[in-house]
Amino acid sequence: MLPAQPSARPLPGEAGISLARLFGKRIGGCTEQYRRSQHAVQQRLEALGSPNSSTTLHLPGALQTAPRAFLPPDEAGNARLRRLDTSLHLIEAAFPQVGTDIEVCRLTSRMLEEAWRSRALTPPSEQEQATDCACRLCRWLPTPPARTLGDYDWRQSAGRPLSVKTWPNRRELDSVLTGGWSWTRQMNDLERDLGHRHRFEDDILVFHEYKRVVDTIDTTRLTQLVEGRLAKDFSSNSARALVSGLFAAHKRSVDEYWLQQHDAGSVVLPQTNPLNQSSYSLLQMLDCLFWHVSPDTELWQEEHLASLLLCRVIDDMADVRADALTGEISNFWLAEMPTHTKAFYAACAIALVKYGCTPEAHDPMWNTWLLTTTIVWMGLTGRHALWFDGITQGLPPAEECPLCDLQPNACTGILTHGTTLTLTKRPTASALSTRTAELSARCRARYPRTWPLFDAELHAFEALHGPWNGNTDTTWEILRRTYIAAVEAAGAAPSQARARDVQQDAGRVGAEMFHTLHDPRTGREDTTLLAYMFGGAHPHFLWNATGYRPTGLEGDWLDG
């Protein structure tokens, strides 16, 4: 990456505007190869059925809207920024190649300070927060279930210990949470080994954000290890890990400061945050940009940044109530932006999950498995509300469902020129392949009530993916205890206890079987089918996690 040109110091409260200007200069347009892949997907799916009437919805790119100007940092915030700047200057002096990364960190941290202070001292915006939009997406928004702090005592940042180790290393790395980094890299590296697949130690510094994990990791030794490696064998990704670790530590200190002020009664924090579409998107990018290793040639490509942003949106969709309880500022569902924009972002995340199920999606870019693995990782950690909050009494009808009709989309313009989603009758495969037919037969024998829905979703999946060649036994065991169990629970009388059982067992089966997804012969196939069932299949438990009902802002704020 080229070093950033020295930028003028942003005016007080306008760090986001400077950050938007920097991103505007750095982002490269969608590559021709990626555009060809998207076109190939569209042509193949159109060939599976006769043309149907369609509806399109367009959302302008985030950077087309000016980031909101916030209050400047207070004295404590300026002191934190000065400490951060001292560390950034040391890294920049030694490794000027990461000058752009450092400038992004500097501006993002300042905008974070500004946004927190504005949240604490400025009344929430009177912009529309309820759903009064008549579009097909907003009409489908769910009514959120009431939740309390006690409903989130399952939320553990460390994840469950793995029953079978992903790699022979230390105990504190033996969890689905940390295993996700190595897993995503292995998925990407099978054809193009960039040397990133076991680079988790470089990136482990970002675990400053996870208080329960950082207590068990020797961060001092790891910092020395990374710095020593940098001194004798420069790696821009290793240097980025240092920058990202500094940001994660700074972010946690800002969060803790303002939540302590709230807890002491010095300020009263609203459950909303003052972010608009642009400021939300920009604030998330450093949280994502250097967590997921990519080649320098792809780092600033439009398609790569879109996948990073929607990866975070998926996390926010599932964690919205927990974030409200613990005080997280940057959750998109809590942002002061129109509900339609939030619904559109959620739909984009689902459309990208579907796009990731197509074989054409994975050729042109190294980091194409990111969202696909993220949705599976979330479903198997027991950390998120995919099953827990998603189970409501009865299932929504599949007929005329806009989410079932949502076409796969790479959403590459979500930051720049905008994104257009298409809703049209989804294609289905005329017949199931051998291994997928076996999954259907097992469901019909054991869960006859759920089988028609399950079988229909397998036909829709194979239209996207083509014949499936995964591991029938392990995939069935996971689906039986996650997606099928959730559908069965939703068809019965309401029961929070039954919903909790499904949610907790999803974490158990993840700990038991996460290692099977690393199999180079079938891991990608298994992951793709699980991603579709967890994120794209009717009844869309992921979508059901987008609703939000305010409760008290209190609780384990250190894990926010």
Side-chain angles (χ1 to χ4, degrees), residues 328-398:
E328 173 66 58
I329 190 174
S330 55
N331 189 294
F332 93 106
W333 204 260
L334 305 180
E336 291 178 356
M337 64 176 84
T339 301
H340 172 77
T341 303
K342 299 171 186 176
F344 203 107
Y345 266 40
C348 282
I350 293 175
L352 185 53
V353 169
K354 290 185 178 183
Y355 183 72
C357 293
T358 65
E360 295 91 342
H362 300 293
D363 289 333
M365 190 174 72
W366 185 80
N367 212 5
T368 53
W369 286 94
L370 177 58
L371 198 64
T372 318
T373 54
T374 296
I375 191 66
V376 177
W377 166 78
M378 288 171 59
L380 296 180
T381 53
R383 178 175 181 258
H384 289 295
L386 286 173
W387 321 119
F388 177 51
D389 271 357
I391 297 174
T392 54
Q393 183 179 14
L395 296 178

Side-chain angles (χ1 to χ4, degrees), residues 26 28 58 110 185 257 266 286 373 395 409 449 468 511 545:
R26 294 296 295 151
H58 181 77
R110 180 169 291 275
R185 291 175 188 184
Y257 171 78
S266 302
L286 186 61
T373 54
L395 296 178
N409 194 316
R449 185 176 59 177
W468 181 73

